[in-house]
Amino acid sequence: GWKRGSSFLPGIDVTDTKLSTSAFLLLHQARAERFFRSDHTNNWAVLVCTSRFWFNYRHVANTLSVYRSVKRLGIPDSHIVLMLADDMACNHRNPKPATVFSHKNMELNVYGDDVEVDYRGYEVTVENFLRVLTGRLPPSTPRSKRLLSDDHSNILIYLTGHGGNGFLKFQDSEEISNVELADAFEQMWQKRRYNELLFIIDTCQGASMYERFYSPNLMALASSQVGEDSLSHQPDLAIGVHLMDRYTFYLLEFLEDIHPASQANMNDLFKVCPKSQCVSTPGHRTDLFQRDPGSVLITDFFGSVRKVEITMETINLTPHTETALAYVDQLPVAQIIHQKPKQKDWHPPDGFILGLWTLILLVFFRTYGIKHLKHIF
Amino acid sequence: MFQDRMGLLSDPNRRRALTNLLTRLNTPICVLCYLAGVAWFMGLAFEPFTLRTYMSENAMGSTMVEERFPAGERALVTAREFGAHKRKSGAMPVDWLVKTMQSRGLEVYTQSFSRRLPFPDENKERYMVRGTNVYGILRAPRAPRTEALVLSAPCSPDNSNNQAVGLLLGLAQYFRSQIYWAKDIIFLVNEHDLIGMQAWLEAYHHTNITGMDWAPLHGRGGSIQAALSLELSSDVVTSLDLVLEGLNGQLPNLDLANLFYTFCQKQDILCTIQEKLQRSDWDSVSGYSQAVQTMALMVLKQASGRPWGDHGLFLRYHIESATIRGINSFRQYKTDTTTVGRLLEGMFRKLNNLLERLHQSYFFYLLPSLSRFVSIGYYMPAFGFLAVILLLRALDLWVQLGALPSVTEDGVGVTDQSSSPSLVSILTPVVISHLTGAALYTLPVLSQELAVQHFPVSETEAVVLTAIAIYTAGLALPHNTHRFMLAEGTEQGWRVLKLVAVLYLAVLLSCTALINFSLGFILALTLVPVAAFVTPHVPKVLSAVVMVLLAPGCTLLYCVFAFQELQEAPVSLIDGWMLFLSVISQGMLDHALYGSLVYPLLALFIYPCWLILWNILFWK
């Protein structure tokens, strides 16, 4: 649970005031209640680009544009784990070295001049990613490569690359499955490594990656449903590659309008890139999330907003007895296992198989004679 | 009841029924298979049976580049300078080229080479060849020197291909100012076209296949990923022709052709293959015949086994390469040098993006037009039908051989002759045929001195005429080999020999078709009927005439005439005969200079096989 009490607000001076009407008290109480909208005290971001090679330029640009937004809204580099599987800015084929553009005609350079990449090149592997999430890193790992979150952290996890139904490809040589990811999040939950977690994925068939989640306080967004491809955007002739993917492009445009005091909530985020713009159908999942998405601010995950209000009045706060926003216990095991029943469609036997078996039977009986049937029946 | 339970093949009654079926139906099935093979081949060019070409390599993607090459006119000025210097010095202007390339910022090196041909080449008028290659390496500004691309232009003795060298130098200057190159680019000007290219490639890869004398290369790029050879002889072009066929019928990866085609469409240049335009009316007779002609030209060029452009020698080293030839014919719409330069710039930019060698698309294909292709899975059944004929014949002979001993046992009296033919009587024709083949392979070149002394002919004519003489002399063999045979041939004897010959031919043609489908198919078209129908019992004179008309030599003659017809330059009989003689000499020269395998294959294997069949015809 979480506490409420005058000791929690060091800036408030508990003294007698002139105004002591109940209306005034209620007003301050409402303001104070609005103040404690969420239970997180720090923000983290894990941004991963999983593909390498020059023609996957757009995945690096995707990740860097989310990095730029997150940093602009206040999350410092020490709280961002940035994993880029390849170096596009210094690639030999980049006609504009030290830049990664997200808009064609080179309008916006998302590489900037203070990018801090924590995991680079071949260090971006499934094992490293899962170790970062679960915290099981060797003691020699530097602090910049660790996710040092606690149970009051809101974590934003952004993945992009090439994916399929139930998996995401890392580095052209391995893949992470949706089951592994769900289990990693469960480990994080059991170790109380997050308060709330927002998971965004921009790959083909991205919705399959959040199908298997079963831990509480997870909200997920994907750029396309199962069976759909996420499309690329922004073809640039001077550089010779696609610069961004559609979903992240429109996500970046949306985030460019968010500032630290913005009151935009998750419902606005779900509306980013409708089918008319994205061609694929973005999806989201909120059933494991305790709060109503309409009350969740964008800056709860994308920014690191510390609200401090100084007031001269005293506010008496009553202890909060309802458990409306209490943590829920883990779902029972039976429910986890049977969370998504596998549908086995019955297919009638293929014509070819039928024909083959008929042929085999015919040859058998032709060779050995019909009268031997009686030995079988 | 006991027989009832026996298997299908071990029951003698059923087996006899099967073999009777085989013997009775053998000839009709063979004829059917032959017609099916020919019909399948002709049907390959029919557009609904072909697939549209597409880019398979992900790294090359679409034509998403911005070409900005500006200096077409300056390239033409350079070309005129090059032509003037070439005329002045009579050979390649090495010093001028070195100076020009250096001024463009390349690392320039030269390589000298020399080669004495086995006999003078009358087509290109050379015998003792001595020359120099000049090449400049544009180092990639930020990349390690592990990979390279090659752009080459030949230095021709007459006034052609000046514009190619000019454009090459113009592109070199433009490429030098770009920073996005991830591979070294080698700009090569080779002298004496294929001989110079062979010397350069051998020195680059530290091999010495053909016994040429070359100086080692002082400068080297990395491993070559792709190469383009440019042939441009006019200031403006009306179309660009793509040449793909290389040494021994090897073809580059289809992605290279797809790349060329997509960029031609982007730059709005007319592009052709086999110098034939693509037609959109595939359902009309003329549209279909155009596609058939294009495909047949490709088949003939591939079967000849010679490299049809300077790119042909790169393929042996697993370097995908093609030749782009500019053609200036009578058309209204002309393309200037700047656009051609932009096309090459776009292609090189896309090749620059490659991470691995081109391998995603097909290596074995036929092109009825530049936008349609037939892959190996679709064209192989055409050859398969022809090979099946040989196997059916072999099976039939085996059955006959199995049936014969029982016939002689039940026959009149007990004969003293052993029922199985002696090994010698079988081996003798085989050995003698192969010795004749070996003579056909070695003697013409070795005996040219002798022939020149005794006859008033030039060396080339001596070689070719000796070859034809040995070939014709082989026809007289059956009358002479019988002197070496100890016993009279038996009915079984020729059957065993024919079985050996048919299986030998089947293996030979199949192996040839795997490597060079066109050569295998063309040889199969004429040799398989011969192998199928020849026996000692067919009418001798008629079959002898038919056999000679379907012999490998005459097949070559027909191919020459067909080639000229398809290129819309038909020749008269006399000219055709002279062309045929020059083709023979070129084949021998290709083998000696570049390692082409068509001449050894024909002389050492196909011709002896045909001689064995000729022996069977005259079996006594």
Side-chain angles (χ1 to χ4, degrees):
Chain A
W2 43 286
K3 309 184 278 284
R4 242 189 191 166
S6 53
S7 58
F8 206 73
L9 293 166
I12 291 191
D13 185 33
V14 187
T15 54
D16 289 318
T17 61
K18 288 186 194 125
L19 287 165
S20 54
T21 57
S22 54
F24 184 73
L25 207 65
L26 278 170
L27 178 68
H28 279 280
Q29 227 173 341
R31 273 177 65 191
E33 273 175 32
R34 264 206 319 276
F35 195 82
F36 289 104
R37 214 186 287 222
S38 169
D39 196 39
H40 78 280
T41 60
N42 56 80
N43 284 81
W44 282 82
V46 178
L47 311 173
V48 185
C49 160
T50 60
S51 17
R52 56 173 35 244
F53 302 141
W54 173 245
F55 57 86
N56 289 322
Y57 183 102
R58 58 190 187 276
H59 297 141
V60 172
N62 287 350
T63 318
L64 284 174
S65 48
V66 176
Y67 172 78
R68 170 204 159 78
S69 309
V70 145
K71 217 166 137 170
R72 188 176 53 83
L73 291 171
I75 304 186
D77 272 317
S78 55
H79 282 231
I80 303 178
V81 178
L82 179 62
M83 305 171 83
L84 297 180
D86 202 356
D87 183 7
M88 297 307 168
C90 296
N91 193 304
H92 309 309
R93 295 166 181 82
N94 194 346
K96 304 269 176 248
T99 61
V100 174
F101 290 106
S102 65
H103 285 60
K104 64 181 169 192
N105 303 324
M106 293 173 268
E107 286 166 18
L108 182 58
N109 173 18
V110 289
Y111 200 64
D113 46 9
D114 61 342
V115 170
E116 228 182 75
V117 182
D118 301 304
Y119 285 83
R120 62 188 72 239
Y122 288 107
E123 291 171 356
V124 178
T125 58
V126 174
E127 183 186 344
N128 281 350
F129 175 60
L130 291 175
R131 282 186 185 279
V132 161
L133 287 182
T134 54
R136 297 176 191 281
L137 288 160
S140 56
T141 317
R143 278 181 81 87
S144 59
K145 287 190 166 171
R146 289 177 187 263
L147 177 67
L148 298 163
S149 56
D150 56 17
D151 62 328
H152 291 297
S153 306
N154 274 10
I155 308 184
L156 165 72
I157 298 190
Y158 177 81
L159 294 176
T160 184
H162 288 289
N165 190 357
F167 67 92
L168 170 63
K169 184 172 78 154
F170 266 71
Q171 297 268 13
D172 215 34
S173 61
E174 50 180 4
E175 40 191 55
I176 186 173
S177 66
N178 49 5
V179 177
E180 278 180 312
L181 197 58
D183 286 342
F185 287 157
E186 176 62 14
Q187 277 197 52
M188 287 175 79
W189 170 251
Q190 293 198 0
K191 292 166 76 164
R192 295 289 184 264
R193 278 169 69 76
Y194 69 88
N195 172 34
E196 285 166 347
L197 199 147
L198 175 63
F199 174 76
I200 305 183
I201 183 161
D202 188 354
T203 64
C204 303
Q205 308 194 53
S208 63
M209 288 306 282
Y210 61 62
E211 269 172 9
R212 297 295 197 128
F213 290 174
Y214 55 92
S215 317
N217 288 349
L218 294 179
M219 183 168 0
L221 281 110
S223 60
S224 56
Q225 301 295 326
V226 173
E228 286 180 348
D229 287 337
S230 281
L231 300 180
S232 55
H233 202 35
Q234 302 291 304
D236 185 294
L237 264 65
I239 301 184
V241 286
H242 286 281
L243 296 183
M244 284 281 267
D245 277 328
R246 278 178 188 259
Y247 181 74
T248 312
F249 180 76
Y250 290 107
L251 181 69
L252 176 65
E253 273 192 5
F254 171 76
L255 288 174
E256 288 286 299
D257 287 333
I258 307 285
H259 52 87
S262 168
Q263 299 293 306
N265 57 44
M266 281 298 158
N267 282 334
D268 304 323
L269 191 62
F270 295 155
K271 292 200 201 90
V272 161
C273 209
K275 197 174 162 84
S276 55
Q277 279 175 329
C278 252
V279 185
S280 57
T281 319
H284 53 89
R285 180 177 176 180
T286 52
D287 56 320
L288 293 165
F289 204 74
Q290 303 306 311
R291 295 192 283 150
D292 169 38
S295 68
V296 179
L297 295 179
I298 300 282
T299 50
D300 277 354
F301 288 101
F302 282 89
S304 190
V305 176
R306 286 169 165 67
K307 277 202 79 169
V308 176
E309 272 195 35
I310 312 283
T311 169
M312 303 298 285
E313 296 86 17
T314 312
I315 298 173
N316 278 327
L317 299 170
T318 53
H320 205 246
T321 47
E322 4 167 326
T323 50
L325 293 175
Y327 286 139
V328 153
D329 284 319
Q330 190 176 344
L331 295 171
V333 174
Q335 220 173 329
I336 297 167
I337 291 174
H338 299 293
Q339 198 173 22
K340 196 167 168 63
K342 271 258 185 276
Q343 277 191 0
K344 274 201 165 50
D345 297 318
W346 181 79
H347 295 284
D350 223 17
F352 172 70
I353 306 286
L354 264 180
L356 195 66
W357 274 105
T358 318
L359 190 68
I360 292 172
L361 285 171
L362 271 177
V363 170
F364 175 78
F365 287 117
R366 179 79 185 81
T367 320
Y368 292 104
I370 292 287
K371 60 183 185 280
H372 291 284
L373 264 179
K374 70 173 190 289
H375 293 291
I376 300 163
F377 294 113
Chain B
M1 196 179 110
F2 180 69
Q3 280 186 323
D4 244 338
R5 304 199 51 159
M6 284 175 68
L8 211 56
L9 290 178
S10 47
D11 177 12
N13 285 332
R14 289 216 182 90
R15 188 164 51 158
R16 208 172 298 134
L18 269 180
T19 51
N20 282 344
L21 204 69
L22 189 68
T23 319
R24 226 167 1 104
L25 287 184
N26 205 306
T27 319
I29 294 185
C30 285
V31 170
L32 212 62
C33 280
Y34 189 79
L35 292 173
V38 174
W40 189 286
F41 181 74
M42 298 301 286
L44 288 173
F46 190 49
E47 191 157 306
F49 296 161
T50 58
L51 292 168
R52 185 170 279 285
T53 53
Y54 53 94
M55 284 299 285
S56 301
E57 175 68 57
N58 205 0
M60 290 211 290
S62 59
T63 54
M64 197 166 40
V65 281
E66 198 182 9
E67 299 95 340
R68 285 195 293 246
F69 177 67
E73 298 307 313
R74 217 177 321 149
L76 291 178
V77 170
T78 320
R80 278 192 277 277
E81 265 187 54
F82 174 69
H85 278 93
K86 194 165 63 168
R87 266 195 304 277
K88 204 164 60 160
S89 65
M92 182 141 107
V94 176
D95 296 322
W96 180 85
L97 265 176
V98 169
K99 204 163 42 92
T100 319
M101 280 192 183
Q102 268 172 350
S103 72
R104 279 154 170 74
L106 307 177
E107 276 179 34
V108 191
Y109 304 97
T110 60
Q111 181 208 19
S112 59
F113 59 91
S114 73
R115 168 87 182 176
R116 193 167 79 89
L117 273 64
F119 54 89
D121 183 354
E122 287 194 346
N123 281 25
K124 301 215 176 86
E125 286 160 23
R126 54 189 182 192
Y127 179 51
M128 274 286 296
V129 169
R130 202 178 298 263
T132 318
N133 291 328
V134 178
Y135 64 103
I137 308 182
L138 169 71
R139 298 286 181 195
R142 296 174 280 149
R145 298 172 180 187
T146 48
E147 292 175 344
L149 298 169
V150 174
L151 178 64
S152 83
C155 171
S156 313
D158 51 1
N159 212 21
S160 60
N161 282 328
N162 289 343
Q163 283 82 357
V165 176
L167 186 58
L168 179 135
L169 293 170
L171 280 173
Q173 185 163 32
Y174 176 70
F175 284 179
R176 185 75 179 84
S177 58
Q178 311 301 318
I179 59 168
Y180 46 67
W181 296 114
K183 304 185 205 288
D184 294 344
I185 305 185
I186 303 179
F187 295 92
L188 169 68
V189 181
N190 53 322
E191 200 177 357
H192 298 296
D193 49 86
L194 286 166
I195 300 184
M197 187 61 90
Q198 179 73 16
W200 190 81
L201 279 171
E202 280 188 3
Y204 197 91
H205 292 97
H206 308 295
T207 60
N208 198 330
I209 313 172
T210 57
M212 209 184 293
D213 206 8
W214 38 258
L217 295 180
H218 292 292
R220 212 176 168 276
S223 84
I224 303 176
Q225 304 290 297
L228 283 178
S229 179
L230 191 61
E231 287 178 26
L232 203 59
S233 301
S234 55
D235 284 356
V236 287
V237 290
T238 52
S239 62
L240 287 177
D241 192 48
L242 184 71
V243 185
L244 293 171
E245 299 84 8
L247 188 66
N248 288 327
Q250 207 175 350
L251 298 169
N253 199 291
L254 190 57
D255 265 339
L256 202 58
N258 299 337
L259 187 69
F260 174 75
Y261 183 60
T262 45
F263 272 100
C264 272
Q265 285 188 305
K266 183 181 182 196
Q267 298 289 335
D268 213 10
I269 306 179
L270 204 62
C271 53
T272 59
I273 193 162
Q274 319 297 345
E275 295 184 23
K276 285 198 188 295
L277 265 182
Q278 189 180 344
R279 290 172 67 135
S280 48
D281 53 340
W282 53 264
D283 44 356
S284 71
V285 175
S286 47
Y288 171 68
S289 80
Q290 176 93 326
V292 168
Q293 283 175 30
T294 316
M295 197 176 73
L297 269 174
M298 180 166 181
V299 164
L300 285 171
K301 282 191 182 175
Q302 200 185 4
S304 70
R306 55 191 303 258
W308 287 86
D310 282 1
H311 72 286
L313 299 173
F314 281 91
L315 294 167
R316 171 195 267 147
Y317 300 95
H318 199 190
I319 301 170
E320 311 309 324
S321 55
T323 299
I324 299 176
R325 196 171 282 158
I327 301 194
N328 193 10
S329 65
F330 303 103
R331 251 179 248 280
Q332 223 178 356
Y333 189 69
K334 299 209 187 272
T335 314
D336 63 345
T337 322
T338 313
T339 320
V340 178
R342 291 210 173 144
L343 178 128
L344 288 170
E345 178 195 352
M347 285 182 78
F348 265 86
R349 220 155 150 209
K350 279 292 159 191
L351 289 171
N352 180 43
N353 281 356
L354 279 179
L355 297 149
E356 308 166 288
R357 286 179 194 274
L358 286 168
H359 67 281
Q360 301 278 8
S361 191
Y362 299 92
F363 287 101
F364 296 96
Y365 50 89
L366 291 176
L367 294 175
S369 72
L370 254 187
S371 65
R372 297 254 153 198
F373 76 99
V374 181
S375 71
I376 183 170
Y378 285 97
Y379 69 56
M380 232 5 146
F383 177 80
F385 278 121
L386 298 180
V388 154
I389 297 176
L390 293 174
L391 293 177
L392 281 174
R393 273 287 176 223
L395 213 56
D396 182 39
L397 283 168
W398 181 262
V399 160
Q400 286 176 16
L401 281 172
L404 269 179
S406 52
V407 170
T408 50
E409 277 172 37
D410 301 341
V412 180
V414 176
T415 52
D416 278 57
Q417 273 176 340
S418 52
S419 51
S420 64
S422 64
L423 197 62
V424 181
S425 69
I426 303 304
L427 268 186
T428 316
V430 172
V431 169
I432 294 189
S433 305
H434 280 88
L435 284 177
T436 320
L440 182 60
Y441 177 66
T442 53
L443 278 186
V445 175
L446 285 178
S447 68
Q448 57 176 313
E449 288 281 321
L450 212 61
V452 166
Q453 278 173 12
H454 292 281
F455 299 101
V457 289
S458 67
E459 280 100 341
T460 321
E461 288 172 3
V463 169
V464 174
L465 293 174
T466 317
I468 296 183
I470 299 179
Y471 179 86
T472 327
L475 294 180
L477 271 178
H479 302 288
N480 299 324
T481 48
H482 285 294
R483 284 200 221 123
F484 291 95
M485 307 241 305
L486 305 171
E488 288 248 320
T490 57
E491 276 295 309
Q492 265 207 326
W494 72 260
R495 285 199 167 85
V496 174
L497 185 62
K498 185 170 174 187
L499 183 63
V500 168
V502 159
L503 287 177
Y504 182 45
L505 187 66
V507 167
L508 210 57
L509 289 178
S510 304
C511 292
T512 313
L514 279 177
I515 302 171
N516 189 344
F517 162 77
S518 311
L519 185 61
F521 187 72
I522 291 180
L523 288 174
L525 271 181
T526 49
L527 284 176
V528 161
V530 165
F533 82 78
V534 75
T535 66
H537 302 302
V538 291
K540 286 257 192 312
V541 178
L542 182 65
S543 332
V545 169
V546 170
M547 264 198 86
V548 168
L549 283 179
L550 291 178
C554 289
T555 313
L556 187 58
L557 190 64
Y558 304 148
C559 286
V560 168
F561 277 106
F563 186 70
Q564 290 301 122
E565 273 291 330
L566 287 170
Q567 289 214 305
E568 289 162 24
V571 287
S572 61
L573 276 175
I574 307 291
D575 289 332
W577 177 256
M578 300 308 291
L579 201 59
F580 172 66
L581 294 180
S582 79
V583 163
I584 297 180
S585 73
Q586 286 295 313
M588 289 198 251
L589 277 175
D590 281 346
H591 170 64
L593 287 175
Y594 320 121
S596 161
L597 292 173
V598 174
Y599 180 65
L601 178 76
L602 288 178
L604 291 174
F605 294 102
I606 300 288
Y607 177 63
C609 204
W610 182 85
L611 272 184
I612 296 175
L613 295 170
W614 181 256
N615 265 307
I616 293 173
L617 181 62
F618 290 99
W619 192 265
K620 262 203 277 290

